[in-house]
Amino acid sequence: MSEGITAEKLLGTIMDTFTDSVPKQKSLSFFEEDKSNSVSAQMNRLLGRQKTIHNILGGGKSADVLLWRNKKISGSVLTGATAIWVLFEWLNYHFLSLVFFALVIGMVAQFVWSNASGILNRSPSKVPRFVVPEEIFANIGAEIGAEINRCLRFLQDVACGGSLKQFVMVVFVLFVAAIIGSWCNFLTVFYVGFVAAHTLPVLYERYEDQVDNFVYNLFGQLQNQYSKLDAGVLSKIPKGNLKGKKSE
């Protein structure tokens, strides 16, 4: 007959699941699964960094922007995102209105440019043409599609073949995300995530040791409190027989 599940074991399962949701160091996708068995080993890989933050973020220009290797570029990207959020969220501008106004301004500028030579009695100058490369849209669509498919594969793997603790953790995360989504619209959630991506990695890279110590102490205190709760209250609750009777 199998033993009953205690609250301390349940806490260990929750902590295992939390660290299982962290991607492997050899993979750069958020949705890859960590197979390690030891909670402390997983936390060391998460916070101790066997690889640098730059490598974990994929390296290259995107990681340089997120880690503020070039402060002008990173500041410009964050400022542009903030301006867009302020326009749509605070000033209540509409996307189509801004697009059409931008098109009107562009057409007026090109009209003045093309006719200024005749008014000023100068030789006609060639009006610059603005063309967006088609490869940009193809690359963006391919990247978005790949990430969506990776996310769907991960959710289906957890639902069909994953462990119970992974299933419970993923459902809990989705439930929390649904609650957060009910508090604000998609643009605000996207902007908050964008700002977090441009602030949390660089802050962690700068204060890695302090963050590690804080997280280790926090998890130690949580486990200690749940152990006391289990010893004083939860362990006294009668447990049902988890093993079904064998059919004759």
Side-chain angles (χ1 to χ4, degrees):
M1 181 178 296
S2 61
E3 298 180 354
I5 300 176
T6 64
E8 185 174 1
K9 292 181 180 179
L10 180 60
L11 174 63
T13 300
I14 294 175
M15 294 178 65
D16 286 342
T17 306
F18 172 78
T19 53
D20 282 345
S21 63
V22 180
K24 289 183 178 180
Q25 297 299 328
K26 66 180 181 181
S27 174
L28 302 178
S29 174
F30 176 80
F31 302 103
E32 292 297 327
E33 182 179 337
D34 193 345
K35 299 294 185 179
S36 180
N37 295 323
S38 172
V39 175
S40 60
Q42 289 172 352
M43 292 302 295
N44 286 335
R45 281 197 294 272
L46 171 64
L47 301 176
R49 287 303 134 210
Q50 294 180 355
K51 290 186 178 181
T52 64
I53 299 295
H54 189 271
N55 291 333
I56 296 300
L57 293 176
K61 295 182 179 180
S62 59
D64 292 340
V65 173
L66 293 177
L67 294 177
W68 294 74
R69 295 291 190 262
N70 190 322
K71 295 183 179 180
K72 292 183 179 180
I73 296 177
S74 300
S76 300
V77 171
L78 191 58
T79 301
T82 303
I84 293 174
W85 181 74
V86 170
L87 284 175
F88 290 110
E89 189 66 22
W90 282 11
L91 302 181
N92 293 324
Y93 277 88
H94 298 284
F95 178 73
L96 290 178
S97 299
L98 289 178
V99 170
F100 292 139
F101 279 130
L103 292 176
V104 169
I105 294 174
M107 291 184 64
V108 170
Q110 288 199 333
F111 177 82
V112 173
W113 188 306
S114 61
N115 292 277
S117 58
I119 297 175
L120 300 177
N121 295 323
R122 294 181 179 178
S123 59
S125 58
K126 186 177 180 180
V127 179
R129 299 285 182 171
F130 298 96
V131 178
V132 179
E134 297 180 359
E135 292 78 8
I136 293 180
F137 297 100
N139 294 334
I140 293 176
E143 290 294 332
I144 294 176
E147 289 300 324
I148 291 176
N149 288 330
R150 189 176 292 111
C151 175
L152 292 176
R153 281 197 304 270
F154 172 77
L155 296 178
Q156 293 173 10
D157 291 342
V158 171
C160 298
S163 62
L164 178 61
K165 61 182 181 180
Q166 289 176 327
F167 178 79
V168 173
M169 185 62 185
V170 171
V171 171
F172 175 75
V173 171
L174 293 177
F175 182 74
V176 172
I179 295 177
I180 295 176
S182 65
W183 295 343
C184 50
N185 56 29
F186 175 77
L187 179 62
T188 300
V189 173
F190 182 80
Y191 174 71
V192 171
F194 189 85
V195 172
H198 282 76
T199 54
L200 297 182
V202 66
L203 289 176
Y204 174 73
E205 186 182 44
R206 181 173 298 180
Y207 304 104
E208 180 177 354
D209 295 335
Q210 293 86 336
V211 174
D212 287 351
N213 293 331
F214 173 78
V215 173
Y216 293 150
N217 294 332
L218 178 62
F219 273 95
Q221 292 177 7
L222 287 176
Q223 191 168 14
N224 186 29
Q225 294 298 324
Y226 269 90
S227 299
K228 293 180 180 179
L229 180 63
D230 174 50
V233 179
L234 299 179
S235 61
K236 299 179 181 180
I237 300 176
K239 306 295 190 303
N241 187 5
L242 300 179
K243 184 177 182 181
K245 296 181 178 180
K246 295 183 179 179
S247 59
E248 296 180 357

